[in-house]
Each structure stands twice: as structure tokens, then as C-alpha cells.
Amino acid sequence: MRDDNCIFCKIANGEIPSKTIYEDERFRVILDLGPATKGHALILPKDHYADLFALPEETAAEAMKLAKKLGAQMKEKLGADGFNLVQNNGECAGQTVFHFHLHLIPRFKEDGQKIGWKPGKPSQEELEEIRAAICDE
Ligand code: 5GP
Ligand code: ZN
């Protein structure tokens, strides 16, 4: 399952060179060209799935296992103090490459990066309305 117009298909399958930190039959993990921090990596399935909703559950579970394994490796080898896992779905959520990828972002004390959001202040009623809409009840 490949998309000939997809750059991550080409990278994941080795047609375009990348700084690869891990590879097996189903995944390639590469260093991001525009890293948030030292070691920022992208976990790429070799098959093309546009986003989380297209991704088979088994592949999603494997990606999470890889994040755990490589996160531990970066803690040990790069001295990371923490991690962010980021996974964007849809243009409005910041997705720019439409081939599923999981960002593995090692964090270091005083690395100067900020990955977050401005917290809202919903009332209990608003939260209840949202809860009911999501749960369809
Ligand atoms: P998104 O915004 O879709 O969640 O993340 C796309 C990420 O892919 C960005 O962090 C960007 O720096 C990275 N990226 C885009 N093109 C390339 C590329 O050709 N090679 C590598 N290694 N990273 C890329
Ligand atoms: Zn692709």
C-alpha cells in the first residue's frame, strides 16, 4: 500500500535517504529535518495511511510500542529528561504531511521549547453539554 506522490512513502521505503534510527519490516523511524529538540524523530509505517483514522489498530499499537522503546533509548543515549508524543490529524490540527507519523520529541530541562495550548475555562454545564454530545446520550 503505497502512494506514489507521498514523500513519506518514499522515505519510509528507502527511495529517499533519511537519518534512520530504527527500521523493521513495517516501520522506519527517522530524524525530523526541522526538529523541535535534539533527537526529534518521526515513526513512519512503511505502508501509506493518511492519518490515525486510516491506520489499522494493530499498527497503531506497534507505533506506540516503538515510541516507548526508542524513548527509553534516547533517555539513555541523549540524556533526555522527558518526552512528548505528538500526532497531528488534519490540516487544522497542524498536519502537513498526510502519511501517518508519530512525533517522538525528547525533552531536556531548559530546552526552550513549548508544546501546548492555552487552557480554556468551561463551566460545568458546558462540559456536560460536550460530554453528552460526544457520548451521544
Ligand atoms: P506534521 O506537521 O505533518 O505533523 O509533521 C511533519 C513533520 O515532517 C515536520 O516536523 C517536518 O519537519 C517533517 N518533515 C517534512 N518533510 C520532511 C523530510 O523530507 N524529511 C524529514 N526527515 N522530515 C520531514
Ligand atoms: Zn505515504
Side-chain angles (χ1 to χ4, degrees):
M1 276 201 292
R2 294 270 301 274
D3 178 337
D4 288 343
N5 297 314
C6 172
I7 185 160
F8 278 5
C9 278
K10 293 190 173 93
I11 292 174
N13 291 284
E15 281 169 41
I16 293 179
S18 62
K19 294 295 180 198
T20 295
I21 61 167
Y22 176 89
E23 186 183 3
D24 63 23
E25 312 90 77
R26 285 185 298 273
F27 290 93
R28 183 186 293 271
V29 184
I30 63 169
L31 293 181
D32 195 305
L33 280 184
T37 61
K38 179 179 171 181
H40 181 166
L42 302 171
I43 299 177
L44 310 178
K46 289 187 173 177
D47 283 337
H48 181 86
Y49 305 107
D51 58 20
L52 181 66
F53 303 104
L55 194 70
E57 285 188 5
E58 195 181 297
T59 313
E62 283 179 25
M64 196 54 87
K65 276 195 215 165
L66 263 182
K68 182 173 172 175
K69 176 188 159 112
L70 293 169
Q73 201 169 323
M74 286 194 202
K75 254 179 122 128
E76 188 193 326
K77 304 272 170 100
L78 297 181
D81 301 304
F83 278 89
N84 292 112
L85 292 182
V86 175
Q87 204 278 304
N88 299 325
N89 294 281
E91 204 174 332
C92 76
Q95 186 175 10
T96 58
V97 181
F98 292 84
H99 174 125
F100 174 92
H101 51 282
L102 180 57
H103 293 259
L104 179 56
I105 306 175
R107 299 303 302 271
F108 305 88
K109 287 186 189 103
E110 293 166 18
D111 62 25
Q113 284 292 358
K114 199 163 179 221
I115 295 163
W117 53 87
K118 201 170 70 174
K121 288 185 185 165
S123 64
Q124 284 300 310
E125 290 73 25
E126 284 168 322
L127 287 176
E128 175 52 24
E129 202 175 301
I130 296 161
R131 188 203 64 76
I134 294 167
C135 300
D136 212 14
E137 61 188 51

